[in-house]
Amino acid sequence: QVQLVESGGGLVQPGGSLRVSCAASGNILSINVMGWYRQAPGKERELVAEIISGGSTNYADSVKGRFTISRDNAKLMVSLQMNSLKPEDTAVYYCNARVRDRRYRDLEVWGQGTLVTVSS
């Protein structure tokens, strides 16, 4: 079993900052990609940012320059620092990881989601 547990999220005013983090645990051999997706009401889930094991990153155009993804491979954690938040960033944020477990199975795992609300 592999699990992702998210922390952070909450209510923040426009222009403010927030950090969400995610910790992986379980029968993990390696993690290739860790990332964050979000889903706003009435919209499809979309990629926000992802980081490969070697450190390269990929961001949605809508968050470039405002959000920063980072990863701690030793702790199996990924974080998303969100600055200059806008009301349109309001969504449930989901942690995602592509994992190889100790049985050499390649798995895609999702966290339970954490709500980020940007409102005055």
Side-chain angles (χ1 to χ4, degrees):
Q1 282 279 38
V2 176
Q3 290 185 320
L4 300 177
V5 177
E6 296 133 338
S7 59
L11 174 65
V12 63
Q13 291 188 343
S17 297
L18 206 59
R19 185 179 182 89
V20 290
S21 296
C22 170
S25 63
N27 199 23
I28 297 169
L29 181 63
S30 62
I31 303 179
N32 183 23
V33 183
M34 297 190 84
W36 290 92
Y37 288 70
R38 68 185 180 187
Q39 187 166 19
K43 295 189 176 182
E44 293 189 353
R45 191 173 296 190
E46 62 176 1
L47 173 69
V48 177
E50 62 184 3
I51 182 165
I52 315 302
S53 58
S56 60
T57 58
N58 180 36
Y59 293 92
D61 288 342
S62 59
V63 307
K64 283 181 182 176
R66 300 189 297 122
F67 291 12
T68 302
I69 191 169
S70 60
R71 176 172 174 168
D72 186 330
N73 289 325
K75 295 182 179 179
L76 303 181
M77 289 188 67
V78 63
S79 296
L80 184 69
Q81 177 66 40
M82 302 180 286
N83 299 329
S84 303
L85 282 160
K86 304 175 182 180
E88 51 264 41
D89 294 317
T90 296
V92 177
Y93 284 69
Y94 295 92
C95 182
N96 172 274
R98 272 152 268 177
V99 173
R100 176 161 289 180
D101 71 8
R102 295 188 185 278
R103 296 174 68 180
Y104 292 90
R105 296 179 300 182
D106 292 324
L107 309 173
E108 183 170 26
V109 187
W110 293 91
Q112 79 281 3
T114 185
L115 178 62
V116 172
T117 303
V118 185
S119 176
S120 54

